[in-house]
Amino acid sequence: PLFPSSGKLRPLEALVLPGGFDDPLGLAELVDLTALGGRQEFLRELGMRALDFPTYAVSHLPAALRENSVPAHKRQAAVELLSSRIGELRDNKAARQALVLTPLVLTTDGSSRVATECYFDTSAVRDCLDGDANFAELPGDRNAAVRDLYTWLGVSDKPRLADVVRTLQELSGRPYSSLLAGRIQTIL
């Protein structure tokens, strides 16, 4: 049997029931309950499953957000959705593994990167990395929730050793000056 979804007909096994959250990227193949008169229980009896949020976060979001074609406003909506429901994911290792490898963090240069490439804008990071860092952009209205999500994913407020070493190697290759020596001393 075929069922309506986004103006098309799809087989039962390709569709899911809405799971009680908005899909900002329109990734999930949701059955159109309106076209079926809201017969959710009937569809469950036929074997259609509801899309829960952890499954969406593990299976749908990462694949979509790895595509460069996703516009910034939709990425922002995905980040806001994840940050508003982080409690459902915090203890889910599969969700963390999938999302850590996803370019989810919106940065001040307008790009999206994986969390382990990003930093919060702190004086320690600026001083040690000479301002050469990918700084996470935190929206004003959901700042704390997004910061919590980014921290869970691996954005750091302290310079990572590998980045400090890279900066020191780059600085040590420059001609000596007292300003440069002071800069290296600040890092060390």
Side-chain angles (χ1 to χ4, degrees), residues 105 115-122 125 129 133-136 147 150-161 163:
V105 179
T116 55
E117 295 176 357
C118 300
Y119 290 97
F120 293 113
D121 192 348
T122 64
V125 172
L129 301 184
N134 301 310
F135 291 112
R147 184 179 185 91
Y150 284 174
T151 299
W152 181 69
L153 293 173
V155 174
S156 181
D157 59 357
K158 296 181 181 98
R160 295 178 186 93
L161 181 59
D163 290 333

Side-chain angles (χ1 to χ4, degrees), residues 87-160:
E88 296 174 56
L89 302 175
R90 192 170 302 281
D91 296 327
N92 185 325
K93 289 180 184 176
R96 187 168 187 283
Q97 276 183 320
L99 294 170
V100 160
L101 300 173
T102 303
L104 259 174
V105 179
L106 304 171
T107 58
T108 55
D109 68 0
S111 64
S112 297
R113 301 179 183 274
V114 296
T116 55
E117 295 176 357
C118 300
Y119 290 97
F120 293 113
D121 192 348
T122 64
S123 60
V125 172
R126 283 198 178 275
D127 291 346
C128 286
L129 301 184
D130 203 25
D132 184 25
N134 301 310
F135 291 112
E137 187 170 319
L138 297 170
D141 56 335
R142 297 204 39 87
N143 188 312
V146 171
R147 184 179 185 91
D148 189 35
L149 171 69
Y150 284 174
T151 299
W152 181 69
L153 293 173
V155 174
S156 181
D157 59 357
K158 296 181 181 98
R160 295 178 186 93

Side-chain angles (χ1 to χ4, degrees), residues 20 25 27 30 38 40 49 62 99 122-123 125 133 150-152 171 176 183:
L25 301 178
L27 303 175
L30 300 174
Q40 197 164 354
R49 57 187 169 43
L99 294 170
T122 64
S123 60
V125 172
Y150 284 174
T151 299
W152 181 69
L171 291 173
Y176 177 82
R183 175 87 184 87

